[in-house]
Structure formats: C-alpha cells, structure tokens
Amino acid sequence: MRPTRAIIHLENLKHNIRSVQAWTAEHSPGPSTVRPKLCIAVKADAYGHGIVETARAAVECGTEYLAVATVDEAVQVREAGIALPLLLYSLPGTSEIPTVIAMRITPLVTDRAYVDALARESRAQGLRTSCHIKVDTGMGRIGCRPEDTITLVEAVRSHPELRLEGISTHYPMADHADERYTRDQTRRFASLIEDLRSRGVNPGLVHASNSGGVLRFPEGYFDMVRPGIMVYGYYPGPELDRPIDLKPVMEFRSKLVFVKKVATGTAISYGHTWKSDRDTWIGTVPCGYADGYPRLLSNRAQVWIDGRRCPVVGAVCMDQFMIDLGPDPPPERYTDVILFGPQHDKGGETPPDAAELAALCETIPYEITCSLSKRVPRIFTGELE
Ligand SMILES: Cc1ncc(COP(=O)(O)O)c(C=O)c1O
C-alpha cells in the first residue's frame, strides 16, 4: 500500500451522528422526547470520506434520510444495497431523469418543467415518485420564489404519478456570527408553511437546517435537519461557539520516506522559496497537491511526527513535499507523519486538523476533506490490521 493514505475513523463518525441526535432531541422546540428526523449529506463521496461506508455507518446510527448531489452518487448508494430515502440536493441533467425514477431517488423540485418531466418519466416506468419542493428563501441558488410555492404544489398535485413528501429551504448565513438573517429567514419560511396549511396543503416533511442551523437555530428544525460537515467532525464556521464534542473523522497520513542532513544555506524545492538558516535534517513526504495537500500550504503548514510538529518547507510539489526535522537526530525512515486528523492521546503536541489547514489556505474545512484525490486509499477503521 502507498505510504500516503486516509484513515477514516468510523467510530468518530458514529459519535458525531449520535451527538447530533442527542443535541437536536435536547434542543427541539417540540415535545422533549421527539427529535427531528435526520438527513445526512453523503454527497461528494461523503465530503471525501467514502460514500458507501459513510452511508452504512449512518444507517447503523438510525439516520432517516441520506442526501446526494448527483445521480451517480445516488446510484453508488443504491448499488451498495442501501434502501433509505435519498434526497437529490442538486438538479440532474434531463438524460439522468430515468435513473432518478428507477433508483427511487427523491428529487427537490424547483419549477413546473422539472415536475412535468419527472411525472412523464414516472408514468413511463409505471412508478409513483416522491418529491420535495425546494423554496429559495435567501440562498439564491435553486428553488422557487416563496410566492410561487402554491403554484408548484398544485403542479405536483396535478400529477397522480407524483407525491408531495416535503417542502424545504436552505440557510446561507447560519454559520455567520450575526444571527439576525437566519432568524428572519426561518420566520418567513415558517409563515409560508402556515399559509400553505391554511389553504389545505399538507406540506409533509418540512426542513431547512444545515450544520449551522442544527447548532444555533432550533426554531428551524421543523420535521427534519440536514447536517453535513458536523457529522464529519467540523464546525461550519470559525466564529461559532463549540458546544458539541465533534471529532474529526478523516486522518490524512503519510510516511517519512527519505531523510538527509543539509548545510546552512541549502535551498529546498521548486523556486527555492525556503533556505535553511542552520544545519538541519530535511525529510521528504510522498504526498503532494495531486493527492489533495494544497500547494498553498507551502512554507505555512506543520505536520505531526513522533509527538511534535515540524514545518513544511519549500513549495509543495505534485507528489512530494519536504519538512524541516531540526538539527537533532531525526526520526527513523518510514515513521508515520500525520498531515491532519483528530486529536489523540499519544502525548506531545497534537496534529493539525482540517480547520487549521483550511484557515492557512483561506478556505473552509469542507474543501480540505473533499479535495483528497482518488489516488489516496481510504482505510476504514475496523479494517485496520
Ligand atoms: C441543501 C443542503 N442541505 C444541507 C447541506 C449540509 O450543509 P453543511 O455541510 O453545512 O451541514 C448542504 C450542503 O451543502 C446542502 O446543499
């Protein structure tokens, strides 16, 4: 096996899912024993963690729904034998609609033309398809205008091949320090639902909350919450309180494959952006931006090795980067190097996590875990020797 691999700590994933279930049960504005249903986002290969294994762990924890962004992702879940309801968060291409119907995927519908196309294909396949209406209450991405919701409800109801199973919206600002926008958005969405009810519409499952919503806006739980990043162990924004013990699920590891002593003034890697100011040991790690370790981390990040952190020196290359091990005798060749991952109790300093690397790259932890490329083997705990 390659020295560079991602260990996926499924025990941490399950811990996070159960923590979300406990948190929503505790904070739910409804009767105290009822928690909202849970829909876990496994799109983008489960934020880089492995869609099938993540979906299986989520099912084991009693999640009620899963969500994907593409039809191919839904097919992967179905082919793994997982029969749970599966929401399709993004819009498919027209040629993918037959698969949406055949694989019993639940689309989020946004407009009359899409509704009609789903109905036509359902009729052709002799199936009835459940769908949820997506209302745009502030994201500006997909979804009907709030005032058009009733027309879309009628469009769905006009087709006996379709069943209105839910109505949803999405929060663009739930991870921002200022709570006012999301509170107002939730009020507007709640009053839209009330208005539909007063017109005799049963909206089915009402849902809005991503991780930011789960953490901070219980009034937006409605019937179901839809977290993603928090089940993978990260908070959606750096400015938020951290009231839940979330444990990062992904650990990105490699090994020290080459070590050499260099003299003061030695320059390292492309562009010679770093020069040693003392005699020191330089280690090479066989991982680069083609694996998803961003080039922006050149001369910025640290890695963890043998209980201490060492700086990345010089430019991160496509397949390798270098670290400064210091002037003392270095760790042995093939010692494990942690690029990011959960805290551990092995003593010494703690490894960086994906949020630390994200901050160095001016991005979000989502992008760090999603960016691990296909050539990095995922090893799921439980399969470890
Ligand atoms: C519609 C929808 N709901 C929920 C989520 C989960 O968001 P998060 O990972 O911030 O919890 C996403 C992710 O982007 C989404 O697109």
PDB file of all heavy atoms in Angstrom, residues 43 47 89 134 141 170 210-211 226-229 366, ligand 1:
ATOM      1  N   LYS A  43     -23.057  13.495  -0.029  1.00  0.00           N
ATOM      2  CA  LYS A  43     -22.629  13.944  -1.365  1.00  0.00           C
ATOM      3  C   LYS A  43     -21.115  14.123  -1.383  1.00  0.00           C
ATOM      4  O   LYS A  43     -20.472  14.162  -0.329  1.00  0.00           O
ATOM      5  CB  LYS A  43     -23.336  15.256  -1.718  1.00  0.00           C
ATOM      6  CG  LYS A  43     -23.018  16.413  -0.805  1.00  0.00           C
ATOM      7  CD  LYS A  43     -24.083  17.502  -0.906  1.00  0.00           C
ATOM      8  CE  LYS A  43     -23.808  18.620   0.044  1.00  0.00           C
ATOM      9  NZ  LYS A  43     -23.289  19.812  -0.535  1.00  0.00           N
ATOM     10  N   TYR A  47     -18.160  13.999   1.564  1.00  0.00           N
ATOM     11  CA  TYR A  47     -17.176  15.061   1.854  1.00  0.00           C
ATOM     12  C   TYR A  47     -15.745  14.477   1.833  1.00  0.00           C
ATOM     13  O   TYR A  47     -14.875  14.882   2.597  1.00  0.00           O
ATOM     14  CB  TYR A  47     -17.461  15.725   3.207  1.00  0.00           C
ATOM     15  CG  TYR A  47     -18.736  16.560   3.283  1.00  0.00           C
ATOM     16  CD1 TYR A  47     -19.889  16.217   2.617  1.00  0.00           C
ATOM     17  CD2 TYR A  47     -18.771  17.715   4.070  1.00  0.00           C
ATOM     18  CE1 TYR A  47     -21.058  16.981   2.706  1.00  0.00           C
ATOM     19  CE2 TYR A  47     -19.940  18.491   4.169  1.00  0.00           C
ATOM     20  CZ  TYR A  47     -21.075  18.106   3.477  1.00  0.00           C
ATOM     21  OH  TYR A  47     -22.221  18.863   3.572  1.00  0.00           O
ATOM     22  N   TYR A  89     -29.998  16.782  -3.795  1.00  0.00           N
ATOM     23  CA  TYR A  89     -29.949  18.215  -3.473  1.00  0.00           C
ATOM     24  C   TYR A  89     -29.795  19.106  -4.713  1.00  0.00           C
ATOM     25  O   TYR A  89     -30.168  20.271  -4.670  1.00  0.00           O
ATOM     26  CB  TYR A  89     -28.786  18.498  -2.528  1.00  0.00           C
ATOM     27  CG  TYR A  89     -29.036  18.173  -1.061  1.00  0.00           C
ATOM     28  CD1 TYR A  89     -27.966  18.138  -0.160  1.00  0.00           C
ATOM     29  CD2 TYR A  89     -30.310  17.926  -0.568  1.00  0.00           C
ATOM     30  CE1 TYR A  89     -28.167  17.870   1.186  1.00  0.00           C
ATOM     31  CE2 TYR A  89     -30.516  17.650   0.776  1.00  0.00           C
ATOM     32  CZ  TYR A  89     -29.440  17.625   1.648  1.00  0.00           C
ATOM     33  OH  TYR A  89     -29.629  17.360   2.975  1.00  0.00           O
ATOM     34  N   LYS A 134     -38.479  22.663  -3.287  1.00  0.00           N
ATOM     35  CA  LYS A 134     -37.380  23.478  -2.776  1.00  0.00           C
ATOM     36  C   LYS A 134     -37.744  24.949  -2.986  1.00  0.00           C
ATOM     37  O   LYS A 134     -37.979  25.378  -4.122  1.00  0.00           O
ATOM     38  CB  LYS A 134     -36.100  23.118  -3.536  1.00  0.00           C
ATOM     39  CG  LYS A 134     -34.879  23.946  -3.173  1.00  0.00           C
ATOM     40  CD  LYS A 134     -34.402  23.626  -1.777  1.00  0.00           C
ATOM     41  CE  LYS A 134     -33.134  24.351  -1.422  1.00  0.00           C
ATOM     42  NZ  LYS A 134     -31.924  23.621  -1.740  1.00  0.00           N
ATOM     43  N   ARG A 141     -29.841  30.140  -5.011  1.00  0.00           N
ATOM     44  CA  ARG A 141     -29.189  29.084  -5.798  1.00  0.00           C
ATOM     45  C   ARG A 141     -30.252  28.344  -6.622  1.00  0.00           C
ATOM     46  O   ARG A 141     -30.493  28.690  -7.762  1.00  0.00           O
ATOM     47  CB  ARG A 141     -28.425  28.165  -4.843  1.00  0.00           C
ATOM     48  CG  ARG A 141     -27.478  27.203  -5.495  1.00  0.00           C
ATOM     49  CD  ARG A 141     -26.517  26.560  -4.515  1.00  0.00           C
ATOM     50  NE  ARG A 141     -27.158  25.795  -3.462  1.00  0.00           N
ATOM     51  CZ  ARG A 141     -26.517  25.139  -2.504  1.00  0.00           C
ATOM     52  NH1 ARG A 141     -25.191  25.183  -2.464  1.00  0.00           N
ATOM     53  NH2 ARG A 141     -27.144  24.460  -1.580  1.00  0.00           N
ATOM     54  N   HIS A 170     -33.063  26.438   2.336  1.00  0.00           N
ATOM     55  CA  HIS A 170     -31.650  26.285   2.712  1.00  0.00           C
ATOM     56  C   HIS A 170     -31.136  27.588   3.324  1.00  0.00           C
ATOM     57  O   HIS A 170     -31.539  28.669   2.909  1.00  0.00           O
ATOM     58  CB  HIS A 170     -30.838  25.912   1.471  1.00  0.00           C
ATOM     59  CG  HIS A 170     -29.435  25.475   1.770  1.00  0.00           C
ATOM     60  ND1 HIS A 170     -29.131  24.533   2.727  1.00  0.00           N
ATOM     61  CD2 HIS A 170     -28.242  25.842   1.227  1.00  0.00           C
ATOM     62  CE1 HIS A 170     -27.817  24.348   2.759  1.00  0.00           C
ATOM     63  NE2 HIS A 170     -27.257  25.137   1.868  1.00  0.00           N
ATOM     64  N   ASN A 210     -29.003  23.147   7.859  1.00  0.00           N
ATOM     65  CA  ASN A 210     -27.680  22.557   7.680  1.00  0.00           C
ATOM     66  C   ASN A 210     -26.986  22.557   9.055  1.00  0.00           C
ATOM     67  O   ASN A 210     -27.627  22.824  10.081  1.00  0.00           O
ATOM     68  CB  ASN A 210     -26.896  23.346   6.621  1.00  0.00           C
ATOM     69  CG  ASN A 210     -26.939  24.847   6.882  1.00  0.00           C
ATOM     70  OD1 ASN A 210     -27.383  25.296   7.942  1.00  0.00           O
ATOM     71  ND2 ASN A 210     -26.491  25.635   5.922  1.00  0.00           N
ATOM     72  N   SER A 211     -25.671  22.310   9.088  1.00  0.00           N
ATOM     73  CA  SER A 211     -24.991  22.209  10.392  1.00  0.00           C
ATOM     74  C   SER A 211     -25.139  23.485  11.214  1.00  0.00           C
ATOM     75  O   SER A 211     -25.363  23.427  12.429  1.00  0.00           O
ATOM     76  CB  SER A 211     -23.498  21.903  10.209  1.00  0.00           C
ATOM     77  OG  SER A 211     -23.329  20.642   9.620  1.00  0.00           O
ATOM     78  N   ARG A 226     -30.664  18.660   8.327  1.00  0.00           N
ATOM     79  CA  ARG A 226     -29.845  18.115   7.238  1.00  0.00           C
ATOM     80  C   ARG A 226     -28.355  18.457   7.407  1.00  0.00           C
ATOM     81  O   ARG A 226     -27.767  19.121   6.547  1.00  0.00           O
ATOM     82  CB  ARG A 226     -30.311  18.705   5.897  1.00  0.00           C
ATOM     83  CG  ARG A 226     -31.786  18.578   5.563  1.00  0.00           C
ATOM     84  CD  ARG A 226     -31.993  18.955   4.103  1.00  0.00           C
ATOM     85  NE  ARG A 226     -31.383  20.223   3.777  1.00  0.00           N
ATOM     86  CZ  ARG A 226     -32.032  21.380   3.653  1.00  0.00           C
ATOM     87  NH1 ARG A 226     -33.346  21.422   3.809  1.00  0.00           N
ATOM     88  NH2 ARG A 226     -31.380  22.483   3.362  1.00  0.00           N
ATOM     89  N   PRO A 227     -27.714  18.017   8.472  1.00  0.00           N
ATOM     90  CA  PRO A 227     -26.304  18.380   8.641  1.00  0.00           C
ATOM     91  C   PRO A 227     -25.383  17.613   7.700  1.00  0.00           C
ATOM     92  O   PRO A 227     -25.703  16.513   7.252  1.00  0.00           O
ATOM     93  CB  PRO A 227     -26.016  17.968  10.087  1.00  0.00           C
ATOM     94  CG  PRO A 227     -26.942  16.823  10.329  1.00  0.00           C
ATOM     95  CD  PRO A 227     -28.196  17.153   9.555  1.00  0.00           C
ATOM     96  N   GLY A 228     -24.260  18.236   7.405  1.00  0.00           N
ATOM     97  CA  GLY A 228     -23.198  17.573   6.651  1.00  0.00           C
ATOM     98  C   GLY A 228     -21.916  17.673   7.458  1.00  0.00           C
ATOM     99  O   GLY A 228     -21.559  16.779   8.214  1.00  0.00           O
ATOM    100  N   ILE A 229     -21.270  18.845   7.379  1.00  0.00           N
ATOM    101  CA  ILE A 229     -19.899  18.968   7.899  1.00  0.00           C
ATOM    102  C   ILE A 229     -19.770  18.547   9.357  1.00  0.00           C
ATOM    103  O   ILE A 229     -18.756  17.982   9.765  1.00  0.00           O
ATOM    104  CB  ILE A 229     -19.362  20.414   7.683  1.00  0.00           C
ATOM    105  CG1 ILE A 229     -17.851  20.485   7.862  1.00  0.00           C
ATOM    106  CG2 ILE A 229     -20.029  21.419   8.611  1.00  0.00           C
ATOM    107  CD1 ILE A 229     -17.063  19.803   6.784  1.00  0.00           C
ATOM    108  N   TYR A 366     -14.476  21.985   4.681  1.00  0.00           N
ATOM    109  CA  TYR A 366     -15.158  21.189   3.651  1.00  0.00           C
ATOM    110  C   TYR A 366     -14.235  20.958   2.451  1.00  0.00           C
ATOM    111  O   TYR A 366     -14.159  19.876   1.899  1.00  0.00           O
ATOM    112  CB  TYR A 366     -16.384  21.931   3.085  1.00  0.00           C
ATOM    113  CG  TYR A 366     -17.472  22.410   3.996  1.00  0.00           C
ATOM    114  CD1 TYR A 366     -17.251  23.367   4.968  1.00  0.00           C
ATOM    115  CD2 TYR A 366     -18.769  21.939   3.844  1.00  0.00           C
ATOM    116  CE1 TYR A 366     -18.285  23.847   5.764  1.00  0.00           C
ATOM    117  CE2 TYR A 366     -19.816  22.414   4.629  1.00  0.00           C
ATOM    118  CZ  TYR A 366     -19.558  23.375   5.591  1.00  0.00           C
ATOM    119  OH  TYR A 366     -20.578  23.855   6.372  1.00  0.00           O
TER     120      TYR A 366
HETATM  121  C1  LIG B   1     -29.316  21.564   0.508  1.00  0.00           C
HETATM  122  C2  LIG B   1     -28.255  21.262   1.515  1.00  0.00           C
HETATM  123  N1  LIG B   1     -28.620  20.922   2.761  1.00  0.00           N
HETATM  124  C3  LIG B   1     -27.703  20.622   3.710  1.00  0.00           C
HETATM  125  C4  LIG B   1     -26.345  20.687   3.438  1.00  0.00           C
HETATM  126  C5  LIG B   1     -25.346  20.375   4.531  1.00  0.00           C
HETATM  127  O1  LIG B   1     -24.587  21.516   4.834  1.00  0.00           O
HETATM  128  P1  LIG B   1     -23.453  21.504   5.967  1.00  0.00           P
HETATM  129  O2  LIG B   1     -22.385  20.594   5.471  1.00  0.00           O
HETATM  130  O3  LIG B   1     -23.011  22.920   6.058  1.00  0.00           O
HETATM  131  O4  LIG B   1     -24.089  20.998   7.204  1.00  0.00           O
HETATM  132  C6  LIG B   1     -25.935  21.057   2.159  1.00  0.00           C
HETATM  133  C7  LIG B   1     -24.506  21.149   1.870  1.00  0.00           C
HETATM  134  O5  LIG B   1     -24.014  21.945   1.159  1.00  0.00           O
HETATM  135  C8  LIG B   1     -26.911  21.355   1.167  1.00  0.00           C
HETATM  136  O6  LIG B   1     -26.562  21.705  -0.069  1.00  0.00           O
END
